[in-house]
Every structure is written in C-alpha cells, then in structure tokens.
Amino acid sequence: MRYPLIDILEPRRLLASIGGVVWDDLNKSNTIDEGENRFTDTRVYLDQNNNARLDPAEASVLTDSQGRYAFTGLSSGAYNVRFIWPGGVGQVSPDRSGRLEHQFDIGLNFTTDITASQMRAFQTAAARWEAIIVGDLPDVNTDIGVVDDIVLDVALIDIDGGAGTLAQAEPTRFRSGTLLPSRGIVEVDLGDVAQLEAENRLVDTITHEIAHTLGFGTLWQQKGLLAGVGGSTPRFYGANAKAAYQQLFNAVVTGVPVEANGGAGTALVHWRETSMGVEMMTPYSQDPGVIQPISLVTVQQFADLGYSVNVNAADPWNPLTEEAEVWTPADAGVAAFTRRVVVNSTNAQTDVDIGLAANRAPVVTSFSIEPSPVVQGQTVRLRARAADPDGDGIYGMTFYRESNGTPGLQSGSDTYVSTKFTPKRGIYAAEASTSSLSGNVTYYAVAVDQMDFAGKRAVNVTVYPPTTPPTRPNPLLMSAPSSSARLLQWKDRSDNEIGFRIELNTRSDFNDVGSVRAFNVPTNSASVLISDLAADTYYARIRSYNLSGSSAYTVAIQA
C-alpha cells in the first residue's frame, strides 16, 4: 500500500512593503508635476514608537538618485513613515497630524479603490477628531497587530443606491474595561459619493460617521449614560455634556435630548433633531452650504465616554441665534493626505510620496496675558496673533508654560496649556489656571504654518500670593483751603493695600454725569490736595484696594 508523502513546513509569513518618492513640490500641489526635482540622499524611516525622531532600532533608508525609497519584508500592521528634514524646507505631503501636542491617532485602512480627493476627505475628517480627542489610549493587540489608538477600515460600497443612506459606521473591537474602541468601520455609499463631493458635503458626512466609530451613540447604553429608552424623550446623562448643553442653551435640563424617532441607526444614537438642529451629530444631513458645527456638547460627550478632550476645539456656535463659524482643514493644522500607512500580507503600498517645499517659519506678532497683575488662583487669558512671511495660513497656536526648570521651550517636558485653531478677529486666545503658581512665570505661544514650521514668543508674568481685601480707611476728612481746592485726609487702617481709590463729585449719589475727579493714589498715603476746581459744593469718598479686591467706600462727606 502506498501512502502520500507529507512535507511538514515551518510556519511561513507573507510580508508587505511601503515605498514612495521624496520630491520638491514647488507649487505645493501635493502631486509630482513635470519639472519638479527629486530629493536624493534623504533619510526616510519607520517611526515605530511615534516619537517623531529616528531611534537606533528603527528601520531607515536613503532615497536614491530618483528620490525613491522602499521598505520591504514588513509584517502586517500600521507604520508611521517620517523623514529627517533637509534644511529650509517644509513638508507638503503627506502631512503629519497630531503635531500640536495631540497624541490621539486615527489610522485609516483603505479597503477599496478610492480617488485622491476622496482619500483627503477621509484624512480631513479623521484629523478633525484628532484635534478634539487629544489623549493617548493604551495600545492593544488586534487582528492587524498592535493599534494606537484606533484603526478604521474605510470603503466605498453599494449600500442602497443614491439619495438613501449616505454612509454607515460602527466600532468593531473594544478595549477591556473602558470599552473605548480600537477598530471600526466606515462605509460611504457609492451611489451618493459623487453628489456629496460635488456639494462639498463629503467631509461632513465622514466626520459624522467617524464619531460613531469612536463611541458617539454606539457606546451610550453600554456605558450607562442613556435613559428613557423606549419612551418619547430619551436623554444622555453624561455630566460634562449636560453642563455644556445648559451653557449653550441657557436652560436647566436633566440630560441632553436624544433622538427617539427613526429606525436602527437613527434613534438613540444621535442628538434630537428638533433640539440640536444643524449640529453635526443630529441624524439628518443638512442642505449644501449649511454649517454643521461640532458643538461643545458633542466634545464633552466624548469626555463622558472616557476620552481626554480639547474643549477649545469645539466649533463656535450659538444655537439660540443659529450663528456658527465655518471650520476648514486649516483650522486643525492638517493639509490631510497620508499620515499613517496600514499594510496587510502581500500588500505593497508604493505611493507614499513625500513632498517638500521651501518655507519660512511664521512669526508670533503679539502675545499678552490678562489680567495684570495676576493673583494666585486667578484664571489668566492668553492672547496671541501670528503672521507667516510666505503667506501660508496659520494652522494653529499652541500655548505652553515653563515648568521643567530649563530656559526656553521644551514641548515634551514643559506644561502644555491649550491649542487654538479658529481665531476670532485674528486672535488666538486660551485660558490657564494659576492655582498652583507663584512668583515669575513664563508662557510660550507657538504658531505653526501649513508645513509644520513653528515660530514662538514668550511672555513673563508675576503671580502674586493670595491675600484678603484691605480694610477701609477711616475717618475721611475734607476741607477747603480755597474755593478751587479741596484737601482730603484719612487714616490708613490696613497693612496690605497697594493704593487708594478716590472719587470727588458734585452729586451725593456720585452719578457719572456729575463726575469731577476719580483717581488712584499710592499705598501708605494719608492725604491729597485736589486743585483747579470750579467753585461748587463737593462730595468725596475713598476706598483701599489690593490684588484681591477693594474695601467698601467710606461714607461720603461734603465740603
């Protein structure tokens, strides 16, 4: 009897590759055009730990005479492709998201054919959420290897033809304990995608769907944040979103209104359309040209789910007046192209091209801190403006506080305060607490342009220790050396004032219409002569003040 021969082989693994070209993108078009040169001997590397620098154990190669590079023999997974910058140039394509101290990364795995403009729409939408969710999540092992923080399988598929369901999305894998997703899927209907692009609604549609993969609506019941299921008035009970809703609508509510109508995929996973109107996360798409803001309520909803969020990245929106500001990719600091490459077995991605162009850093033209002086415990407001010598847009302004004891800004160890994207009247403004500060404190404002170049400016403030308001001076005496002069005298009964506020008026109620003099005099003063007065009857009062506040005014006296 003959038996078949069985050849026992060792485990075998099919490997993938990543490659592309480094070129001089003279016209900043994100495409390699005729006449644009290639960069030779430029080092490209796979940033395994995503720290934006080449470490000894990380794979790297030099571009050849045609500007080409390639990494072969790669296992399935996600890779960060970076390069060592030649002097005087900035990166045009692919862009790096998360550069403004954002540590949350959304990887996109394109599983169907897609055009360059559609790819940029997905990248732009992902970058919008990376500007809002800013805290790193623990790495997890998934079916495609280690993921940080979430990887989405995205595709264009036939859902129901045109004018029906535009897109659909859901998380597919979850972290143990927190339930925060590590994988998800976003699908856009092939029958609608061309119309969405033509009407400039594709980015908003994808932005809406990515929110669901991150847990918006899809995790509410699992996290115990949804009540009223089955009734006509379900509500989201997260404390942060509830407080934001009350702030925006100037109303006291038990929870944020949730949509009760519609079938699966509509009811209980969106804000209520009749309450939130044009907000990004209501169930129905808006007409072309209508701004769909991501409100503070939606941002704080993610905080309730367990994410670290940047509340300053919420879109300016007043639901009572329906005023909203337009968000653009530039507001998030992203020119959205390929940032992170996900490869599977036998997959060769050969178009991860790197475009560079000459660039100069932006300039922070002004930077100030209010109020002045500052008392420990006060909230200070940081205000900055910036301009770019190349005429590029300013993507964002990041504020830091000196805290590591080394002069100058070290963004990895000095304290991150906030990042602002959409300036009002050209001013980037953020707030910071001084509750644990004292003495001289330095803040930094860092402006970033379209190609990741940064310019910074520092400002110093003195944070004074907290104190109590001073005691009121008393008694106040007033005499008239002449018809045109008044002499005020008082007893200083406090040892912590920094000055006195005096008001002299022809009216006993000190109405502004009759105001004659209102001025401050230095600490430890006991008298002041006021001259050049018209002949009249005058009333006077005085109070002491310091950085914490003022005493009451003395009883008005007449002379």
Side-chain angles (χ1 to χ4, degrees):
M1 184 174 182
R2 297 176 63 86
Y3 295 93
L5 295 175
I6 300 175
D7 185 12
I8 300 176
L9 301 177
E10 73 278 5
R12 295 187 176 178
R13 206 170 40 167
L14 298 176
L15 302 177
S17 63
I18 297 171
V21 172
V22 182
W23 89 99
D24 187 1
D25 190 10
L26 294 172
N27 59 3
K28 303 178 185 178
S29 66
N30 291 329
T31 58
I32 303 175
D33 301 313
E34 185 177 353
E36 291 181 335
N37 298 321
R38 312 292 180 95
F39 280 84
T40 62
D41 295 324
T42 298
R43 186 161 296 279
V44 183
Y45 64 99
L46 300 180
D47 191 3
Q48 182 176 347
N49 57 8
N50 202 25
N51 66 352
R53 64 172 179 266
L54 175 59
D55 296 316
E58 292 174 336
S60 72
V61 295
L62 289 172
T63 56
D64 63 15
S65 60
Q66 298 300 311
R68 296 172 299 198
Y69 74 93
F71 295 94
T72 59
L74 300 177
S75 301
S76 298
Y79 293 88
N80 300 302
V81 180
R82 303 196 193 279
F83 65 99
I84 295 178
W85 299 72
V89 300
Q91 183 176 351
V92 176
S93 171
D95 185 72
R96 289 192 298 118
S97 74
R99 57 177 171 266
L100 301 176
E101 287 297 311
H102 298 154
Q103 301 176 17
F104 186 80
D105 185 82
I106 300 174
L108 300 176
N109 181 30
F110 297 97
T111 61
T112 61
D113 290 338
I114 190 170
T115 68
S117 63
Q118 291 162 355
M119 179 182 290
R120 282 193 285 272
F122 276 99
Q123 299 284 15
T124 299
R128 183 69 182 107
W129 291 115
E130 289 171 336
I132 289 171
I133 299 175
V134 294
D136 188 39
L137 297 180
D139 294 358
V140 291
N141 286 309
T142 71
D143 55 320
I144 62 168
V146 176
V147 168
D148 174 32
D149 294 281
I150 187 171
V151 173
L152 306 179
D153 296 317
V154 300
L156 304 181
I157 67 168
D158 184 12
I159 297 178
D160 59 3
T165 299
L166 302 178
Q168 56 194 22
E170 63 179 350
T172 57
R173 287 180 179 262
F174 305 87
R175 289 171 171 80
S176 61
T178 66
L179 298 180
L180 296 181
S182 59
R183 294 295 309 282
I185 185 169
V186 178
E187 297 169 331
V188 177
D189 191 4
L190 273 170
D192 292 301
V193 67
Q195 186 71 17
L196 290 173
E197 277 199 280
E199 296 176 348
N200 292 320
R201 293 194 294 152
L202 183 58
V203 170
D204 279 351
T205 300
I206 299 170
T207 301
H208 177 104
E209 297 302 330
I210 288 178
H212 289 309
T213 70
L214 299 173
F216 186 99
T218 53
L219 282 182
W220 289 353
Q221 295 191 59
Q222 294 91 322
K223 302 280 278 188
L225 295 169
L226 186 64
V229 176
S232 60
T233 58
R235 291 184 180 270
F236 178 84
Y237 278 84
N240 294 294
K242 173 184 171 182
Y245 185 91
Q246 294 183 151
Q247 174 185 332
L248 282 179
F249 285 83
N250 192 27
V252 177
V253 296
T254 57
V256 182
V258 170
E259 186 61 53
N261 300 314
T266 299
L268 304 180
V269 294
H270 295 93
W271 299 137
R272 191 177 303 163
E273 185 84 20
T274 55
S275 299
M276 298 285 276
V278 299
E279 211 272 351
M280 176 67 72
M281 297 313 298
T282 54
Y284 302 107
S285 180
Q286 301 298 317
D287 292 333
V290 175
I291 300 171
Q292 299 183 68
I294 298 177
S295 71
L296 183 62
V297 182
T298 292
V299 173
Q300 290 287 36
Q301 172 271 162
F302 282 108
D304 290 322
L305 291 180
Y307 291 100
S308 296
V309 301
N310 176 14
V311 295
N312 294 318
D315 288 323
W317 177 50
N318 184 338
L320 303 180
T321 63
E322 298 186 352
E323 294 180 9
E325 293 185 18
V326 177
W327 183 87
T328 68
D331 297 327
V334 174
F337 194 62
T338 303
R339 308 184 313 279
R340 188 178 177 99
V341 181
V342 179
V343 292
N344 299 312
S345 299
T346 71
N347 182 18
Q349 295 210 11
T350 59
D351 58 350
V352 185
D353 300 325
I354 299 172
L356 309 178
N359 192 58
R360 290 172 291 176
V363 177
V364 180
T365 56
S366 66
F367 183 24
S368 63
I369 296 182
E370 303 169 347
S372 181
V374 178
V375 178
Q376 187 183 71
Q378 283 184 315
T379 296
V380 295
R381 187 167 179 82
L382 313 177
R383 297 165 60 87
R385 292 178 181 268
D388 190 88
D390 299 315
D392 296 332
I394 303 297
Y395 273 152
M397 184 80 70
T398 300
F399 297 96
Y400 299 87
R401 175 173 55 81
E402 177 63 57
S403 61
N404 66 356
T406 302
L409 172 62
Q410 292 82 43
S411 61
S413 55
D414 284 322
T415 300
Y416 167 72
V417 175
S418 179
T419 299
K420 296 297 292 184
F421 299 116
T422 306
K424 294 183 178 180
R425 298 176 298 280
I427 300 174
Y428 297 85
E431 292 185 344
S433 171
T434 63
S435 59
S436 60
L437 305 178
S438 62
N440 294 325
V441 179
T442 300
Y443 287 92
Y444 302 97
V446 182
V448 176
D449 68 6
Q450 292 178 345
M451 289 192 288
D452 261 351
F453 275 41
K456 66 177 180 291
R457 188 166 180 161
V459 64
N460 298 302
V461 297
T462 299
V463 179
Y464 292 93
T467 184
T468 57
T471 303
R472 179 176 62 179
N474 212 25
L476 175 63
L477 304 175
M478 180 166 60
S479 58
S482 69
S483 61
S484 62
R486 296 295 184 272
L487 176 64
L488 297 179
Q489 296 174 294
W490 61 90
K491 176 69 173 179
D492 182 0
R493 298 185 180 277
S494 178
D495 60 3
N496 65 341
E497 86 280 345
I498 62 174
F500 300 93
R501 177 71 171 178
I502 293 173
E503 290 189 359
L504 189 70
N505 208 298
T506 57
R507 297 174 57 118
S508 60
D509 60 2
F510 289 84
N511 186 288
D512 287 342
V513 174
S515 179
V516 178
R517 293 281 200 279
F519 56 92
N520 297 331
V521 295
T523 183
N524 297 325
S525 301
S527 64
V528 64
L529 178 64
I530 306 170
S531 56
D532 300 323
L533 297 172
D536 208 333
T537 298
Y538 291 95
Y539 299 86
R541 62 183 183 179
I542 185 173
R543 68 182 181 187
S544 53
Y545 66 90
N546 61 21
L547 296 175
S548 292
S550 303
S551 71
Y553 274 110
T554 59
V555 174
I557 61 173
Q558 175 186 342

